[in-house]
Amino acid sequence: MPTPTFEPPKYMERFDRNPCVCGGKPIVKGTRITVKLVLDLLASGLTVEEIVGEYPSLVEADVYAVIQFAVEGTLDVELDPTA
């Protein structure tokens, strides 16, 4: 039986991380737009369409990939019920 290989989720193909760009923070590939910036824009109430309008180097799929990136990053986080 062949050994299964790990393949990162497809949405991860939209991101890059380079220590020489934006301090090594994850960015949308081909831009200098960080994942955090997109999440901050969403948290401030901007819609996907508004973000793409403000940042023409992004497409809607980039913003949805950022959301998926954030979701995947929080799946293993345990919250303290007493906090």
Side-chain angles (χ1 to χ4, degrees), residues 26-79:
I27 59 169
V28 177
K29 197 174 280 188
T31 74
R32 297 179 69 83
I33 300 171
T34 63
V35 167
K36 183 178 182 327
L37 172 64
V38 177
L39 290 172
D40 288 344
L41 294 170
L42 288 164
S44 73
L46 268 67
T47 65
V48 172
E49 294 79 14
E50 290 170 328
I51 294 170
V52 170
E54 290 288 321
Y55 296 88
S57 59
L58 295 178
V59 295
E60 287 186 8
D62 294 328
V63 179
Y64 289 116
V66 166
I67 295 168
Q68 186 64 39
F69 181 90
V71 168
E72 294 291 330
T74 61
L75 289 178
D76 293 328
V77 174
E78 294 196 25
L79 301 176

Side-chain angles (χ1 to χ4, degrees), residues 15-19 21 24-27 69:
F15 306 114
D16 197 9
R17 187 178 284 194
N18 180 330
V21 179
K25 296 176 183 168
I27 59 169
F69 181 90

